[in-house]
Amino acid sequence: MKTTEESYHLSNLKTLEAESIGIIREVAAEFENPVMLYSVGKDSSVMTHLAIKAFYPKKVPFPLLHIDTGYKFPEMYEFRDEYTKKNGLDLRVLRNEEALKRGVNPLSVGTVKCCADLKTKALLDSLKEGGYDAAFGGARRDEEKSRAKERIYSFRDKHGQWNPKNQKPELWNLFNSKIDQGESIRVFPLSNWTELDIWTYIYHENIDIVPLYFAKERPVIEKNGQLIPVYTDEYEDEVKDVMCRFRTLGCHYCTGAVRSEADTLEKIIEEMMVARHSERITRVIDHDQDSSMEQKKREGYF
Amino acid sequence: MSSESLIEQSQNIDLLRFATAGSVDDGKSTLIGRLLYDSKSIFEDQLNTIKTFSRTHRNQEIDYSLVTDGLKSEREQGITIDVAYRFFSTPKRRFIIADTPGHEQYTRNMATGASNASLALILIDARNGVVTQTKRHSFISSLLGIRNFVIAVNKMDLVDYSQEVFENIVNEFNAFADKLADESVYYIPISALEGDNVIERSENMPWYKGSTLLDYLENVNVSGGRNMNDLRFPVQYVNWGGGDDFRGYCGTIASGVVHKGDKIRVLPSGKTSKVSRIVTYDGDLDYAFAPMAVTLCLEDDIDISRGDMIAKADDIPAIAGSFEANIVWMDNTPMEIGKDYLIKHTTSVVKGNFEEVIHEFDPDDISMKSSQSLGLNSIGKAKVELKSPVFADLYSENRATGSFIVIDPHTNQTAAAGMVTKYKQVSPDKGCKSVKVRVISYPADKKEEAMAKYDRLSMHGTHCIYVDDDLLKETLRKGKSVDSDEYSEMIENLCKIVTRSGVSVVVCSDNFKS
């Protein structure tokens, strides 16, 4: 039956795609109540695209959960609602309303406390409330040093916390999904992707992303070497228009833009190939303290 | 080159996964740091953090090992305690490195790193030669099926770049490697610290005529590893429901190739059918091969659930009721003979126990000694009895269907990794009987829960029917009472008939007694 034209070679991107789809299906099969964390960014676009592929022609059999700090870019909210509707995804949005009522923001309480309240606490509370026993996240091992050692199935205790010294060995593609009541796992189907893989995949698959990733003249202020976009009238610094784009998307207070002319996917990928700064440099929160991401992860942050 | 062709190229390059191993302090982290640094895979801000730490804590300009030692406790202790995954690419290839720890107590992490690798890069300190850890790690890599080895003899700068020292180590390792399976071994003298023969050819070792490390990694042919002959498709997820009549079996092709129209056999039922469609989001395919993730549709409507195996009708795996396997014990709690463990093999989880340890290996010289049990980081061959059969091949012939993990049901720990070396078949009809059939009952006022349970079971591919008082009143009990002993007996008999055919029942009635 084999014809001579058949080739059994799978490219890097197709290999990564197959691996991720396998992980997503395995979780859907083995857990009672999975949920996919959706942050609206490019990695979330790729992760949801993979979930859609995994269950095609049926719908994705689990909901998406957006932990909304209330301070995301307006473009992100608009994209989120359109993207999830267009793809028939079941989106749930949760905020720490109590903290927002108290007026928590990075200018009033600092970035560490702000993240703890609006992200980590909101996440842990909503995972607990929803009774989710598995939560997908879009983190990649190439992103940050403590993530390089994260397993694909990352075990969390009853308090949602991570213990890097007590990680289960993970062999072949055989994942241990046994947990006790109240415990949960975080699952990272994009573990083995790099930032460049994400971009080339978006290009080849024609995946929708938030327009903020493309370069455009935007009003910003310069603060500690970072270009912070202006979406509030609280800043006293001088506002100027700069041709720039965002490499990652978080809250508008804490996400810096980079100077860039890349207004198409091709140009972004070209820029990536010569990039000399990792994408997380534009995240103000990573520089809070030495090993700040490891600390946040131990406490339950994604 | 235009950016479009650059993108095209980045799409088509292949992926090489390799594991690194060695003993403490032989400069493994430094070597990887160097590979990442020289291939421009470390970003400037990461580099600045590393440089600052190097100056303040190490009193040197740049300590390359800091690139890979990610966790805070490791940076403080200066050792690597967990597998770290590192990424770099060159125009020729994309690489994923599983950087595994050198300490003996982390042997399990070495096995983790090696399980998905197709090449092992083993470091030897030129001053110390082949040591116990070198042998242990080579042995584990070989046991896990790695057939391509690169032996990097490091710190050549500290032995005056001596050809004699290098050749002695080559001879010593060759003598050891003869005891392993058939390996291809390539030796390279390097200095990770100085950069000799890592990416640039060393001027200090003109006597060495072979490839530099990066050159070798970019060009080595590692086609071996995946079996492309025998189709094995472990059913992972049954995709159906939602109002249309689509029913597909999702899974990752573990080995081999499947074509539309192929005659297949499903285990454990043994029933045959033909592949009617190979469904993907990007359109139906005429054929698909390992390790693609696809959805298969069959011409006939047969009972298939998660954990079943689809293979070619005339080429099926063994229906194994017990096997002998090489075991790497990874848990602090030693193996307990006779205790029930969970065995995860492809997409099925079955109960099983260890009957006996046949022998334990001494990784120093791969000799065998007798042993009652295996403890943390020990490796041996053991007999495993399964409570229900799995569909297996020998690990040497098929990694995906010859491997399993052992889970301790009390602690949920992954206690061991196993590789099948021999199996005992059970007859196919015993295989069929092992399908677990259950009657799940709910009180009459829990109708919603009962229906949700039925939906969930069905979604997961369990064959079941749903019955409640209302349904029976409309059908079998039309015009008769539904509140009598005779009615209870009728439900019981109904369950008996249905379960005998291998179908589970969800009953929602107060009249169901047992």
Side-chain angles (χ1 to χ4, degrees):
Chain A
M1 205 126 24
K2 182 184 166 181
T3 63
T4 45
E5 298 95 67
E6 282 185 10
S7 150
Y8 303 144
H9 177 262
L10 210 54
S11 72
N12 170 45
L13 283 181
K14 284 288 167 193
T15 308
L16 292 170
E17 177 190 80
E19 183 182 274
S20 302
I21 288 176
I23 294 163
I24 293 169
R25 286 173 174 169
E26 188 69 4
V27 172
E30 289 211 310
F31 288 84
E32 291 276 322
N33 194 12
V35 68
M36 184 169 271
L37 271 290
Y38 177 68
S39 73
V40 200
K42 63 182 192 309
D43 302 293
S44 279
S45 280
V46 168
M47 185 164 61
T48 45
H49 183 74
L50 290 164
I52 292 164
K53 281 194 157 188
F55 302 103
Y56 176 85
K58 304 285 179 189
K59 281 190 173 175
V60 176
F62 43 75
L64 306 189
L65 178 62
H66 180 217
I67 302 300
D68 180 17
T69 59
Y71 300 129
K72 301 293 174 193
F73 294 82
E75 291 91 331
M76 289 172 73
Y77 293 116
E78 200 181 308
F79 176 87
R80 176 193 72 188
D81 295 342
E82 246 170 59
Y83 179 83
T84 48
K85 195 176 160 203
K86 177 179 156 190
N87 290 294
L89 299 162
D90 170 13
L91 174 74
R92 299 172 191 185
V93 179
L94 277 138
R95 298 179 185 220
N96 184 347
E97 297 290 358
E98 177 275 326
L100 285 170
K101 250 180 233 149
R102 269 192 286 129
V104 168
N105 79 32
L107 302 178
S108 65
V109 299
T111 58
V112 176
K113 271 195 181 159
C114 186
C115 267
D117 270 344
L118 297 182
K119 286 177 139 177
T120 308
K121 188 171 186 312
L123 172 66
L124 292 179
D125 286 353
S126 51
L127 289 181
K128 206 170 180 180
E129 233 166 76
Y132 302 113
D133 52 359
F136 292 99
R140 309 185 316 268
R141 284 168 175 160
D142 80 321
E143 261 180 276
E144 205 272 340
K145 57 201 172 200
S146 70
R147 285 190 169 156
K149 307 209 166 183
E150 181 93 70
R151 299 288 193 261
I152 289 172
Y153 274 32
S154 182
F155 180 80
R156 300 301 149 113
D157 66 16
K158 289 191 168 65
H159 309 290
Q161 291 173 346
W162 180 59
N163 179 358
K165 282 194 175 165
N166 188 30
Q167 298 201 83
K168 292 174 188 175
E170 210 163 71
L171 291 100
W172 301 289
N173 295 314
L174 294 173
F175 300 105
N176 178 349
S177 60
K178 296 294 161 198
I179 53 171
D180 284 336
Q181 193 77 38
E183 295 169 345
S184 62
I185 62 156
R186 306 278 170 91
V187 186
F188 303 105
L190 303 180
S191 285
N192 290 326
W193 295 59
T194 64
E195 190 187 5
L196 186 57
D197 293 328
I198 295 285
W199 281 114
T200 43
Y201 190 70
I202 288 170
Y203 174 83
H204 285 288
E205 298 279 314
N206 218 354
I207 298 170
D208 294 332
I209 51 169
V210 185
L212 291 164
Y213 287 111
F214 296 105
K216 190 181 144 183
E217 282 216 340
R218 297 186 166 92
V220 296
I221 57 159
E222 236 177 316
K223 211 171 154 190
N224 307 324
Q226 303 250 24
L227 297 176
I228 304 290
V230 180
Y231 283 92
T232 163
D233 52 14
E234 292 159 277
Y235 298 127
E236 284 164 11
D237 317 61
E238 183 203 347
V239 178
K240 49 188 175 183
D241 283 332
V242 173
M243 188 74 173
C244 60
R245 66 178 202 88
F246 296 88
R247 282 182 69 188
T248 70
L249 295 177
C251 300
H252 66 75
Y253 283 109
C254 292
T255 306
V258 289
R259 282 175 211 276
S260 167
E261 302 285 325
D263 54 2
T264 64
L265 276 176
E266 288 92 331
K267 286 183 192 167
I268 289 175
I269 294 170
E270 203 174 351
E271 187 183 278
M272 272 299 310
M273 286 177 168
V274 292
R276 298 304 303 140
H277 289 286
S278 75
E279 58 189 315
R280 295 208 72 91
I281 196 172
T282 57
R283 288 298 185 89
V284 176
I285 56 170
D286 287 354
H287 309 299
D288 287 344
Q289 46 180 278
D290 183 35
S291 293
S292 56
M293 180 62 86
E294 187 182 341
Q295 194 58 39
K296 282 199 189 71
K297 279 167 60 68
R298 278 169 181 269
E299 288 159 6
Y301 178 67
F302 248 81
Chain B
M1 204 184 277
S2 74
S3 63
E4 260 144 80
S5 53
L6 268 174
I7 297 169
E8 215 45 60
Q9 187 189 14
S10 73
Q11 140 96 344
N12 289 322
I13 58 171
D14 64 353
L15 178 62
L16 176 70
R17 294 176 196 236
F18 67 95
T20 59
S23 60
V24 190
D25 293 336
D26 53 17
K28 187 157 48 69
S29 295
T30 306
L31 175 65
I32 293 166
R34 163 77 65 177
L35 277 174
L36 265 52
Y37 179 76
D38 284 355
S39 63
K40 302 193 168 47
S41 305
I42 310 174
F43 294 112
E44 261 170 31
D45 52 318
Q46 291 170 340
L47 199 62
N48 285 337
T49 313
I50 292 162
K51 280 185 173 163
T52 310
F53 195 90
S54 299
R55 279 193 291 268
T56 49
H57 294 263
R58 297 289 153 79
N59 207 11
Q60 63 191 81
E61 183 53 29
I62 171 162
D63 180 349
Y64 291 110
S65 68
L66 292 173
V67 175
T68 56
D69 291 349
L71 301 178
K72 206 176 171 190
S73 49
E74 294 177 332
R75 288 203 302 284
E76 284 156 2
Q77 291 168 34
I79 55 157
T80 310
I81 58 168
D82 206 341
V83 189
Y85 295 90
R86 294 291 158 188
F87 306 84
F88 74 102
S89 50
T90 68
K92 284 194 176 160
R93 247 184 191 158
R94 171 116 131 61
F95 299 92
I96 300 181
I97 313 174
D99 180 17
T100 65
H103 289 259
E104 187 184 336
Q105 65 264 40
Y106 301 112
T107 292
R108 61 179 183 187
N109 292 329
M110 169 72 223
T112 303
S115 71
N116 285 321
S118 43
L119 179 145
L121 169 60
I122 301 211
L123 260 85
I124 294 179
D125 186 329
R127 296 169 304 172
N128 304 331
V130 177
V131 297
T132 307
Q133 284 304 302
T134 317
K135 295 178 183 173
R136 177 177 285 267
H137 289 150
S138 308
F139 177 56
I140 296 170
S141 303
S142 171
L143 202 67
L144 280 144
I146 294 182
R147 294 292 169 264
N148 289 83
F149 282 74
V150 178
I151 307 295
V153 179
N154 190 24
K155 304 198 183 179
M156 288 300 291
D157 53 315
L158 300 181
V159 295
D160 298 326
Y161 298 105
S162 157
Q163 183 173 7
E164 198 193 336
V165 170
F166 176 69
E167 278 172 2
N168 284 340
I169 291 173
V170 170
N171 292 335
E172 203 183 341
F173 190 84
N174 266 338
F176 172 77
D178 283 346
K179 297 175 190 166
L180 302 175
D182 260 349
E183 272 81 23
S184 110
V185 186
Y186 195 84
Y187 298 90
I188 308 174
I190 65 163
S191 165
L193 198 64
E194 304 297 332
D196 297 271
N197 287 336
V198 177
I199 286 157
E200 301 292 332
R201 176 160 292 282
S202 169
E203 288 174 9
N204 297 311
M205 291 176 274
W207 47 265
Y208 174 72
K209 307 286 184 224
S211 303
T212 64
L213 179 60
L214 185 64
D215 192 35
Y216 185 78
L217 292 174
E218 277 185 325
N219 294 300
V220 61
N221 180 11
V222 285
S223 52
R226 200 171 283 280
N227 174 327
M228 294 307 276
N229 300 319
D230 311 300
L231 171 68
R232 302 288 183 257
F233 186 82
V235 176
Q236 187 180 22
Y237 184 92
V238 181
N239 204 9
W240 72 292
D244 57 37
D245 58 2
F246 180 87
R247 188 181 182 95
Y249 306 100
C250 304
T252 298
I253 303 173
S255 65
V257 185
V258 61
H259 292 81
K260 187 182 166 187
D262 276 354
K263 194 171 178 203
I264 55 90
R265 191 180 300 277
V266 183
L267 298 173
S269 72
K271 291 193 174 127
T272 57
S273 182
K274 275 185 180 168
V275 176
S276 61
R277 289 178 69 191
I278 303 172
V279 178
T280 77
Y281 174 88
D282 303 302
D284 280 16
L285 303 175
D286 289 331
Y287 70 100
F289 54 92
M292 290 167 71
V294 296
T295 300
L296 300 183
C297 298
L298 303 181
E299 276 180 8
D300 308 277
D301 192 14
I302 40 183
D303 284 354
I304 301 177
S305 48
R306 176 178 160 85
D308 286 5
M309 176 76 80
I310 294 176
K312 292 268 171 74
D314 54 0
D315 171 20
I316 59 167
I319 302 171
S322 65
F323 35 63
E324 287 180 17
N326 286 321
I327 303 287
V328 180
W329 198 260
M330 305 189 289
D331 199 2
N332 291 319
T333 316
M335 170 195 290
E336 208 178 298
I337 301 294
K339 169 179 168 170
D340 268 353
Y341 289 96
L342 296 170
I343 309 282
K344 184 166 185 186
H345 171 269
T346 66
T347 54
S348 76
V349 179
V350 300
K351 276 187 193 167
N353 59 69
F354 293 97
E355 210 173 295
E356 62 165 325
V357 174
I358 300 166
H359 57 246
E360 188 180 336
F361 290 104
D362 180 349
D364 250 354
D365 52 5
I366 321 185
S367 64
M368 299 166 207
K369 58 181 184 189
S370 68
S371 173
Q372 299 304 308
S373 158
L374 297 175
L376 181 63
N377 290 316
S378 52
I379 304 164
K381 186 178 276 190
K383 270 191 190 161
V384 186
E385 267 295 315
L386 302 173
K387 293 274 163 78
S388 14
V390 299
F391 315 111
D393 294 286
L394 299 183
Y395 190 73
S396 58
E397 285 164 13
N398 201 328
R399 267 197 196 193
T401 50
S403 55
F404 61 91
I405 58 169
V406 179
I407 301 166
D408 187 320
H410 298 125
T411 60
N412 295 335
Q413 277 299 324
T414 305
M419 290 144 281
V420 178
T421 57
K422 199 174 168 182
Y423 46 69
K424 227 186 236 162
Q425 302 231 33
V426 296
S427 62
D429 62 303
K430 193 180 165 199
C432 298
K433 277 179 198 150
S434 73
V435 177
K436 267 182 279 171
V437 178
R438 293 185 291 169
V439 177
I440 303 149
S441 71
Y442 283 88
D445 58 350
K446 299 279 186 213
K447 198 167 163 176
E448 243 180 57
E449 270 180 56
M451 288 175 98
K453 177 75 181 177
Y454 166 76
D455 284 345
R456 203 158 54 234
L457 285 171
S458 307
M459 281 291 285
H460 286 65
T462 305
H463 299 286
C464 52
I465 64 159
Y466 173 81
V467 180
D468 65 26
D469 292 333
D470 292 339
L471 276 171
L472 289 168
K473 260 190 259 176
E474 280 170 37
T475 54
L476 295 172
R477 299 297 287 186
K478 211 167 186 174
K480 293 180 193 159
S481 89
V482 291
D483 194 8
S484 65
D485 286 350
E486 186 251 337
Y487 177 62
S488 302
E489 205 177 297
M490 191 231 96
I491 298 180
E492 250 182 75
N493 287 333
L494 178 67
C495 290
K496 269 186 202 155
I497 297 168
V498 173
T499 51
R500 203 171 290 162
S501 311
V503 176
S504 296
V505 189
V506 177
V507 189
C508 183
S509 166
D510 288 328
N511 291 286
F512 181 66
K513 300 288 190 291
S514 42

